[in-house]
Amino acid sequence: MYLFYAVLAFSAGVMLPVQAAMNARLAKLMGSSLWAASFSGFVLTLILALAGFMSLGSVPRMTGAGHVPWWAWAGGLCGCVVLSATTIVAPRLGTASMIALIMSGQVLCALVIDSFGMLGMNAQPFEWQRGLAAGLLLMATFLLR
């Protein structure tokens, strides 16, 4: 099962620079990075809603929605930032530099979330190997610019 999830995560990593390049091209046509990101997000919403309905055969369950922390509803804001930023940044910095910077931000933020058990996640101890990996990733980011 680990292999399946590892391949899925790797595939998501492959899709991010591909999506950024596609959206950058669409931005040239539309005259705006934000419009291109918006269109991409619209297509994403349609596909996910259709896939959810087809696989589950129902609309989302919302019982207990009032008991979910306010920040749990803000995930779309994170997606909006990622989608917009990649569309804007890719043609200016290139996809390799963009992905290196995104990965650095992801790993540093993930280390903070894991170390303190933030946002409902189980705490994972911060070990020197994790710090070293983050430092090496930051060095690689600098070398890719």
Side-chain angles (χ1 to χ4, degrees):
M1 192 52 98
Y2 175 83
L3 181 61
F4 170 77
Y5 292 123
V7 169
L8 184 61
F10 184 83
S11 298
V14 168
M15 289 294 111
L16 195 56
V18 170
Q19 180 188 36
M22 291 172 156
N23 287 346
R25 179 65 180 100
L26 192 58
K28 286 182 182 178
L29 170 76
M30 296 182 143
S32 165
S33 295
L34 291 177
W35 278 119
S38 176
F39 183 79
S40 183
F42 176 71
V43 171
L44 176 142
T45 301
L46 287 178
I47 291 171
L48 287 178
L50 183 62
F53 186 76
M54 288 177 64
S55 66
L56 302 174
S58 65
V59 296
R61 177 174 37 103
M62 297 301 282
T63 54
H67 300 290
V68 176
W70 67 268
W71 49 262
W73 296 98
L77 175 62
C78 298
C80 178
V81 170
V82 170
L83 191 55
S84 299
T86 58
T87 304
I88 293 167
V89 170
R92 290 164 178 84
L93 298 183
T95 55
S97 292
M98 177 197 73
I99 291 299
L101 289 162
I102 289 171
M103 286 176 54
S104 293
Q106 287 173 327
V107 169
L108 292 175
C109 184
L111 284 173
V112 171
I113 290 170
D114 282 354
S115 295
F116 297 103
M118 299 167 65
L119 301 173
M121 299 301 293
N122 292 327
Q124 304 292 327
F126 183 85
E127 298 168 348
W128 70 269
Q129 297 96 328
R130 293 177 132 213
L132 178 61
L136 290 172
L137 182 57
L138 288 172
M139 287 186 351
T141 300
F142 175 75
L143 293 172
L144 273 172
R145 63 173 196 94

